[in-house]
Amino acid sequence: GILQHPDGTVLKQLQPPPRGPREQEFYNKVYDPDCCDSILLELRKYLPKYFGVWSPPTAPNDMYLKLEDVTRKFNKPCIMDVKIGQKSYDPYASAEKIQQQVSKYPLMEEIGFLVLGMRVYHISSDSYETQNQHYGRSLTKETVKDGISKFFHSGYCLRKDVVAASIRKIEKILEWFEGQTQLNFYASSLLFVYEGSCQATTVRLSDVTLAEKRGVPKGLLPGGDVLEYNNNIHVINSTENGKIEASVSKGLSKFYALHKKACSKRHHSQLSLKVENLEQDNVWKSSTCIAQEHLNGNVLSQLEKVFYHLPAETKESANVEVRMIDFAHVFPSSAKDEGYIYGLKNLITVLQNILDN
């Protein structure tokens, strides 16, 4: 498994030859201080940062790759590992190895990717849902869209901002693959990470007075700053629910209309619907997600209409990371990596379908 180093990096134990040395050679080549290859320099943007190899003082023969911890900046990281490509075996694999890999997921060639696992934080239950590789291998061409959409669901609603940001990140990686003919990748993955918590930011209460302004945050009024949207509804005190209910039901249509108008003028990724408790201090330092049972069905359904249908094209990137990982099967080439490109394009298509539906 992956270990954490006290300095904030992660340690991946070097695999037995030839895989381990091959992965180390790949990282050394890409992160060579003297590298002047524009293709490899561009590739660095899509990998975890590499800090060489490391061995524990008590076991100097145990070698580890020292890598950036992509999840470190997140409070409640939601993580998904997706193997990309039509083949999960390299050109030098034996007939036995090929048969073994194909039998694990016969649809790999047709679908072009395989979900190896996911860990999703659900706000509603304050817990993680975990799926392993057996979950991914159970997905068919008909069910893969719904299977992947689980990763983007907060327990309250679909995080369309995260889906849209993920698509843009993958498109950048696809552009790199379309422009290079020197490397082919097999059994390599994309690591997706996004913030699942609703407590990632603080807000000034004086900027947002939903109850007093009938559901229209100041940030959406003319001349105001556009607020951030993270698909979460925050309240200070659930006993304010009666006031919230009245405010939301009266002001929601106006809120949405103003939001659309604001979107057309200023790009933003996230818009938080926040509620002020007038008896609290000026700065809201510990926001609390409203429990589902504190909203009656009528209010919840109206709020979901806003959150589900905000136009994705108006948002800039949410707090999302998409990085390429696992390079034990990377080989020199003189042609485009068509298998990897096929997988990326098909994954983008599936995510776009999730977004559109």
Side-chain angles (χ1 to χ4, degrees):
I2 300 294
L3 305 176
Q4 286 190 312
H5 191 280
D7 67 5
T9 59
V10 292
L11 304 169
K12 179 182 180 182
Q13 189 164 25
L14 216 59
Q15 299 176 71
R19 291 173 296 168
R22 192 188 294 135
E23 184 165 30
Q24 182 184 354
E25 181 184 354
F26 169 81
Y27 274 112
N28 285 339
K29 182 178 180 180
V30 175
Y31 283 94
D32 185 340
D34 298 323
C35 177
C36 56
D37 184 331
S38 61
I39 295 294
L40 297 184
L41 292 175
E42 173 76 13
L43 179 59
R44 291 180 185 179
K45 297 177 183 179
Y46 312 118
L47 312 183
K49 291 183 179 68
Y50 173 62
F51 302 100
V53 293
W54 179 88
S55 297
T58 54
N61 293 326
D62 290 347
M63 302 286 288
Y64 294 83
L65 298 172
K66 201 162 185 283
L67 302 167
E68 172 190 5
D69 181 359
V70 180
T71 71
R72 183 175 173 81
K73 67 180 181 180
F74 296 94
N75 181 31
K76 296 288 186 181
C78 298
I79 305 167
M80 179 169 65
D81 184 332
V82 182
K83 186 184 289 187
I84 305 293
Q86 291 179 285
K87 296 176 181 177
S88 56
Y89 53 88
D90 65 51
Y92 303 97
S94 64
E96 182 183 1
K97 178 69 172 178
I98 292 173
Q99 180 57 40
Q100 179 193 52
Q101 289 297 314
V102 171
S103 65
K104 284 183 178 179
Y105 194 55
L107 292 172
M108 191 77 179
E109 187 167 357
E110 184 179 4
I111 293 179
F113 60 85
L114 167 63
V115 177
L116 292 179
M118 66 175 71
R119 186 168 178 259
V120 189
Y121 178 72
H122 284 172
I123 298 168
S124 51
S125 59
D126 188 25
S127 63
Y128 280 96
E129 178 185 350
T130 303
Q131 303 289 352
N132 61 21
Q133 58 187 324
H134 300 293
Y135 172 80
R137 290 186 180 128
S138 71
L139 299 178
T140 66
K141 193 175 179 181
E142 291 72 33
T143 63
V144 69
K145 179 174 77 90
D146 290 338
I148 285 186
S149 69
K150 286 174 76 82
F151 174 65
F152 299 100
H153 207 285
S154 70
Y156 281 124
C157 58
L158 186 69
R159 289 291 303 274
K160 286 197 169 189
D161 58 328
V162 176
V163 180
S166 297
I167 291 172
R168 287 190 290 272
K169 300 267 186 181
I170 301 169
E171 285 173 341
K172 289 292 185 183
I173 295 172
L174 176 59
E175 283 179 24
W176 182 85
F177 271 90
E178 293 280 19
Q180 70 90 25
T181 57
Q182 56 179 284
L183 294 171
N184 277 10
F185 294 73
Y186 302 90
S188 183
S189 292
L190 290 183
L191 183 71
F192 292 77
V193 189
Y194 73 88
E195 179 58 63
S197 171
C198 64
Q199 297 179 333
T201 60
T202 58
V203 66
R204 289 190 173 277
L205 288 178
S206 57
D207 291 342
V208 187
T209 317
L210 179 62
E212 293 297 306
K213 293 181 179 174
R214 300 178 59 197
V216 185
K218 180 179 179 181
L220 298 182
L221 295 174
D225 290 326
V226 177
L227 300 173
E228 288 195 299
Y229 168 64
N230 61 9
N231 281 356
N232 302 318
I233 307 149
H234 297 281
V235 295
I236 294 294
N237 187 339
S238 61
T239 60
E240 294 284 311
N241 189 42
K243 187 187 290 185
I244 295 166
E245 179 181 341
S247 303
V248 170
S249 60
K250 290 178 182 177
L252 203 64
S253 59
K254 188 175 179 183
F255 170 88
Y256 185 45
L258 284 168
H259 172 69
K260 290 184 71 175
K261 183 177 179 181
C263 284
S264 67
K265 294 183 179 178
R266 298 180 57 176
H267 295 296
H268 67 290
S269 61
Q270 300 181 322
L271 164 71
S272 290
L273 185 59
K274 313 251 170 131
V275 182
E276 177 178 1
N277 184 333
L278 299 176
E279 296 168 6
Q280 297 292 325
D281 195 7
N282 279 340
V283 179
W284 178 9
K285 294 181 179 176
S286 58
S287 55
T288 306
C289 283
I290 188 166
Q292 194 159 4
E293 60 267 24
H294 290 149
L295 287 173
N296 64 31
N298 182 49
V299 176
L300 187 60
S301 64
Q302 291 185 72
L303 290 172
E304 284 177 341
K305 285 177 184 177
V306 173
F307 292 146
Y308 271 90
H309 299 295
L310 285 174
E313 67 273 13
T314 63
K315 303 166 187 167
E316 49 180 55
S317 293
N319 194 7
V320 178
E321 292 286 353
V322 179
R323 304 288 187 94
M324 296 171 61
I325 58 171
D326 297 338
F327 305 111
H329 302 274
V330 180
F331 296 92
S333 174
S334 58
K336 285 186 180 182
D337 190 342
E338 297 295 351
Y340 202 104
I341 289 172
Y342 176 90
L344 290 177
K345 286 182 175 179
N346 212 29
L347 181 55
I348 289 171
T349 298
V350 170
L351 294 177
Q352 192 62 53
N353 287 337
I354 292 172
L355 201 59
D356 294 342
N357 294 338

